[in-house]
Amino acid sequence: MTVLVAGHAVDDLYQGAVPAIVPFLVAERSYGYVAAAGITVAATLLSSVVQPLFGVLTDRRAMPWLVPAGMTVAGVGIGLCGLGDSYLFTWLAIALSGLGVAAYHPEAARLARRVSRDGHIGMSWFALGGNVGFALGPVLVTPVLAFGGLQASPLLMIPALIGGALTLALRGVRGEPAHVVAHTGRDDWGQFGRLTVVVIARSMVTFGLSTFLAIWVTQRVGGLVAGSAALVVLFGVGAAGTLLGGVLAGRWGRIRVVRVSYAVAVPAVAGIALVPGPAVYLMVALAAVALYAPFSLHTTLGQDYLPNRLGTASGVTLGLAVSVGGMAAPVVGAIAAVTNLQWALLSLTVLPAIAWVAARGLRRPAPFDARLSLRDYG
């Protein structure tokens, strides 16, 4: 689990890097709101299509090599994005990174659930690794691009190259895994579909914020560093919120935590658009807790609703549904172009409300049989 948590951090660092790169593209290449949102689409479009396919493949046959391979491709794509002046070249490089992320998640999440004895608590640590990686994305990108410009982007691939090499050296990745025992529980596609609506709505508001938050805070507070700091707050507090969600779920139950979180997210997101000056950071922190506390719970709920298809469930909850959220970024950009960025951010408050309504129909799934985990993977 320690290796999987660390690997998840490295992989998702490159998802967190994308919104941090956008302000530099706007500053150096004069991209508009729609063009900036298109970069987010590049990171999510290909990923949203292929990630469920990777999930189906890993349900049929264990493919642990996808863990280091996906991580490496994710880093190489980000490393290439600043080298060409062409928008198309940059878009394709970001899309390549999204493909690597898509390859990584289903197999890594399936392995993490099987070695986790305590279900959603163990998966909270796995999700925490990813959110820590998101938080580290701006921390890595901002100093590199601030001092070296977009031409320094190849330096950003170093963590992925190191992480991929270290992961390849692990016995659990190089060796052939033991036979995977199928679960006998019943797949509940109706509840899984409702959960997918929740995840998509959550993803839309999260991607909308991550794409435009740095630009908004730069305008509101002043300076690119202020904008990057807002992303660090969003992803850093969100990482802590992910772990908090697992702890609260152990006391109150996963579904109650999901419902309360989205109820709190509505005024928190509105506050980001309305609160003046540096106080915006407080609203960013509140929104981060509300939006990230349910994150790992989505994955475990999805796996419990589809106990015979862990890879597919992970591919959708961590992949398709999350990536589709990035497709909404151009809509937010279009709203900003027609009105202003404040109204665009206010429009995002509709999405956690939708998630809350959908979550009210969720039922408690049958418990996951964690006893299979160590037997399946030694």
Side-chain angles (χ1 to χ4, degrees):
M1 180 58 74
T2 300
V3 173
L4 289 168
V5 169
H8 199 190
V10 174
D11 184 78
D12 281 15
L13 180 151
Y14 293 102
Q15 287 188 302
V18 175
I21 289 171
V22 168
F24 290 95
L25 292 171
V26 171
E28 291 193 27
R29 299 180 182 176
S30 301
Y31 288 172
Y33 288 134
V34 175
I39 298 300
T40 299
V41 172
T44 58
L45 179 61
L46 186 59
S47 180
S48 67
V49 174
V50 302
Q51 195 150 186
L53 299 179
F54 282 117
V56 172
L57 290 174
T58 58
D59 279 334
R60 295 179 178 179
R61 180 180 181 182
M63 305 172 70
W65 57 269
L66 285 175
V67 174
M71 182 191 310
T72 302
V73 172
V76 169
I78 291 297
L80 294 175
C81 74
L83 295 185
D85 293 331
S86 164
Y87 183 85
L88 178 60
F89 180 89
T90 301
W91 196 95
L92 290 174
I94 297 291
L96 178 65
S97 179
L99 177 63
V101 170
Y104 174 88
H105 275 118
E107 180 69 6
R110 188 171 65 87
L111 289 170
R113 188 64 192 271
R114 288 191 176 278
V115 301
S116 175
R117 290 181 178 271
D118 53 3
H120 58 269
I121 300 253
M123 285 299 291
S124 293
W125 283 102
F126 177 71
L128 173 66
N131 288 325
V132 167
F134 258 98
L136 291 176
V139 174
L140 174 66
V141 167
T142 301
V144 171
L145 299 190
F147 288 102
L150 290 173
Q151 293 299 315
S153 66
L155 295 174
L156 301 176
M157 71 175 70
I158 293 175
L161 297 178
I162 295 174
L166 292 176
T167 307
L168 275 173
L170 296 176
R171 176 184 176 185
V173 173
R174 284 192 344 196
E176 191 69 15
H179 176 65
V180 176
V181 180
H183 291 274
T184 58
R186 178 183 175 184
D187 292 331
D188 191 340
W189 288 99
Q191 285 291 291
F192 185 75
R194 181 178 288 273
L195 176 66
T196 301
V197 173
V198 174
V199 178
I200 289 175
R202 182 262 180 194
S203 175
M204 286 181 173
V205 64
T206 303
F207 268 100
L209 279 178
S210 64
T211 300
F212 294 104
L213 181 63
I215 299 174
W216 171 245
V217 175
T218 295
Q219 297 173 357
R220 198 80 161 174
V221 179
L224 288 174
V225 174
S228 295
L231 289 176
V232 172
V233 172
L234 178 65
F235 298 146
V237 175
T242 300
L243 191 57
L244 177 64
V247 173
L248 294 178
R251 295 183 178 182
W252 297 343
R254 289 176 288 178
I255 292 178
R256 180 182 296 182
V257 173
V258 169
R259 291 171 180 168
V260 172
S261 295
Y262 290 120
V264 173
V266 175
V269 173
I272 292 174
L274 298 175
V275 170
V280 70
Y281 291 109
L282 296 177
M283 301 310 299
V284 171
L286 180 60
V289 173
L291 292 172
Y292 280 87
F295 182 70
S296 68
L297 309 182
H298 294 157
T299 303
T300 59
L301 282 169
Q303 292 174 332
D304 287 348
Y305 288 139
L306 301 182
N308 298 299
R309 296 174 173 84
L310 299 185
T312 299
S314 301
V316 172
T317 56
L318 286 174
L320 177 62
V322 174
S323 299
V324 166
M327 310 284 284
V331 177
V332 180
I335 295 173
V338 172
T339 56
N340 57 51
L341 191 52
Q342 184 177 44
W343 278 107
L345 293 175
L346 278 173
S347 71
L348 293 174
T349 59
V350 175
L351 297 167
I354 292 173
W356 176 79
V357 171
R360 288 182 60 83
L362 293 176
R363 298 192 302 268
R364 182 178 179 180
F368 181 90
D369 187 0
R371 292 173 301 173
L372 294 174
S373 61
L374 295 182
R375 183 171 76 243
D376 289 346
Y377 278 90

